[in-house]
Every structure is written in structure tokens, then in C-alpha cells.
Amino acid sequence: MKLLTCPLNGSRNIAEFTYGGEYHATPDHISTSARDWAEHVFFHDNAAGMVTEWWCHTASSFWFLAERNTITDEVIRTFKADEIYTERIDFSAAKTESRS
Amino acid sequence: MTTLDPTMGMRRSQLYRRHINNNAVFKKTGSDFVVSHYDNGNNQRTELDQARSMAICDLSTLSRTGFKGAGAPIWAESQGVKLPDRANRAIVQPDGCLVAKLSDQELLILSDILAKSHQVTALGEQSTSDHLENDTQTYLLPRGDSHCWLAVTGNQAAEMFSKVCGVDLRSHKFALGNIAQTSVAKTNAIVIRQDLGQTLSYFILCDISATEFLWDCLLDAMQEYAGSPVGIRALEQLVASQ
């Protein structure tokens, strides 16, 4: 049985978790180009080696991050997202140019 | 004695048809109905004895609520709520209700089984009048319609759980007030150890749509321990006998 350690709930059967994709730093939503947004949302590195990934403990709906070696499938550590997200992010609307 | 109709309450348990088929006698708590006991004719074993060894009880119509958000713990403390010292712990309040800390930013509040606590209702009303969302990053998270609430009691409960749950819930490993958010019979559930009197007991909350499935799974798992459903009267007797 494979186990994964949730930073909130401890060691659990991997069946209790859902993979959430690669972690990438969130671009600045005001200045980022459409191309870079598409890159952030839709494209993945699919790297062989150490990666940081989102995982969710489904029984508690708790999202966290894991550092994993994709070659050996070894999880180096898991940690809470507030290690990275120290402040609330408010998505204010970007100013758009008039088309008239 | 007039038989109360569980469909006349503001809220009915997902299990009420099963209770009726099992000859349940209902009693009123607040505006809803809960099974007092089952009328099983010549069965010599009392529900209190049953609850001490292996039993399940449906508490789904008792009141409960929750709060979530970065400011939720601070706001709750400002309302006089005593908080557990860390996540996945629950503590009983002076008025009998149970406050469970599901994460650093999420609280679940359960009424006492005697339904004497008014804190669940009071906190819900206060949160509405405080307009919490804008000021304190505290969000009301009603639990009455989202989760069912079952109690599993008896000195064989932990052994029974070992058949359907991967977390070690034995009393020397899973202390009073501990919480496991995990899979029970393949259903996501919140398991809280909350002994009733001196009897090992657990509260189980799962998505309300899975209520009947989980009830049947737990009844099936406890069959080899001669477990069966009991009404809330037996749980009240457990509490009173401490």
C-alpha cells in the first residue's frame, strides 16, 4: 500500500488523495500576457526529476504541496500552501483600453 | 401513547424510513424528531446494554453548524467559544456542545445529544448579524443539510472500525477528542472520538447523500459483534451513568 503524508491529517493511504497537477508560481494577473496565462493554465513541464505538485486530501478537502522525484516516485516532503502563499491574493480587474 | 410522525419536522433524517420499518418510537427535539428507542417487543436486551457493547444511533436531526476562513478562530473566540489547541481536536464547551477544529481555519460545532445547548443557533444568528464575510474573513458553513451525523458506541466499536477504516481508532491510540478525517467504508467521513459516560463512542459525519450507504455498511460490519441500532434514549442513559 502506498502512503502519503498530509500536512494536516498525517500519513494516509494514497487512495485518500487526488493529484492536482504541477505547482507553478502564479503570474501577476494584471501584467501577464494572454500567451503566458495560457502557458500557466494549460501547459506543463512534465519534468523527469524533482518537481513540486499540488495534492488534495479528499476526505478533508485539504490542498497542499509535495516535492516528489518523478523518476523514483519518492516523496521528499509535503507542506502546507501557506509556506508559499503568505498573503491573500485579490484579483482586481485589469484596466482595459477603450475600443472606440 | 401517540406515535410521532418524523415527517412533520422541519428536517427529516435520510434514514427515517429505515427507522419506521424498524419500529422506531420518535421524540421531539427542538423542531425536529429523533429516534427515542425501537419497540422490539420481546427482545430482552435493553438498548442501554446494546449501546455499551456495540450500537449505532442516528443523530442527523440534531443541530450543527460550522465556520471557515482566516478569521474564523478569532471570531469564534470573541463569541466565547473555547477552541481546541490544534487542528483535528475537539473539545466540549461548558454548555455541552462540541467544537471540532478541522483545520487552522475551519470549525465544526455540534449540539450536545440532549439538545440543551443553544450555542449552535446563537452563533449562526450572530454570524449573520455581524456580516462576517467582509470584515473578518469568517464564513458561515452550515452543516445541517450537508452532513449526516451518526454515533457508534460500545467497547467493541474500535474493533469494528478496523474492518472499514484505515486509521487506528483503538482507545489507546486515538485519544478522547481526537478527529480523523478519513475514509470509512470508502466514504469520506469525519470521525470524532467522543465517549458517552464511560463508554467508548465515536461521532461520524459524512456527506448526507451517502447516509444510507454508510448506515448499512456500519450495520453490516457490526453484525459479527451483535451490534444494532439504538435510540437516543440509550445514549442519554450512557451520559447519565458516568
Side-chain angles (χ1 to χ4, degrees), chain A residues 5-89:
Chain A
T5 301
C6 169
L8 174 65
N9 297 285
S11 182
R12 295 292 164 81
N13 187 333
I14 195 76
E16 290 191 21
F17 296 91
T18 306
Y19 174 67
E22 296 171 1
Y23 164 77
H24 294 118
T26 310
D28 179 80
H29 68 283
I30 302 290
S31 59
T32 303
S33 67
R35 168 68 211 182
D36 286 345
W37 263 120
E39 181 78 28
H40 175 70
V41 174
F42 297 111
F43 295 97
H44 303 286
D45 297 334
N46 197 25
M50 287 300 304
V51 296
T52 303
E53 299 169 329
W54 284 106
W55 284 83
C56 178
H57 179 244
T58 40
S60 57
S61 303
F62 185 77
W63 284 95
F64 61 95
L65 292 147
E67 290 174 358
R68 185 172 71 94
N69 187 325
T70 56
I71 299 172
T72 62
D73 198 22
E74 181 186 9
V75 175
I76 310 304
R77 77 175 185 120
T78 55
F79 57 100
K80 292 182 180 177
D82 59 13
E83 273 192 29
I84 293 173
Y85 296 95
T86 54
E87 292 178 356
R88 179 189 171 100
I89 300 173

Side-chain angles (χ1 to χ4, degrees), chain B residues 150-227:
Chain B
L150 310 176
V152 173
T153 71
N155 54 24
Q156 294 175 302
E159 197 174 320
M160 184 278 294
F161 272 119
S162 69
K163 297 167 66 177
V164 291
C165 178
V167 176
D168 190 345
L169 299 177
R170 289 176 296 172
S171 58
H172 63 287
K173 295 282 188 181
F174 194 72
L176 185 65
N178 269 13
I179 299 171
Q181 298 177 73
T182 186
S183 174
V184 177
K186 300 285 185 187
T187 304
N188 292 328
I190 302 165
V191 182
I192 305 171
R193 180 174 165 201
Q194 180 57 33
D195 292 358
L196 300 174
Q198 301 297 316
T199 302
L200 180 65
S201 306
Y202 304 88
F203 290 153
I204 317 292
L205 293 100
C206 78
D207 190 286
I208 203 156
S209 62
T211 310
E212 291 170 288
F213 171 78
L214 189 60
W215 176 267
D216 289 346
C217 285
L218 291 173
L219 270 179
D220 183 63
M222 65 177 63
Q223 204 171 30
E224 69 175 281
Y225 306 101

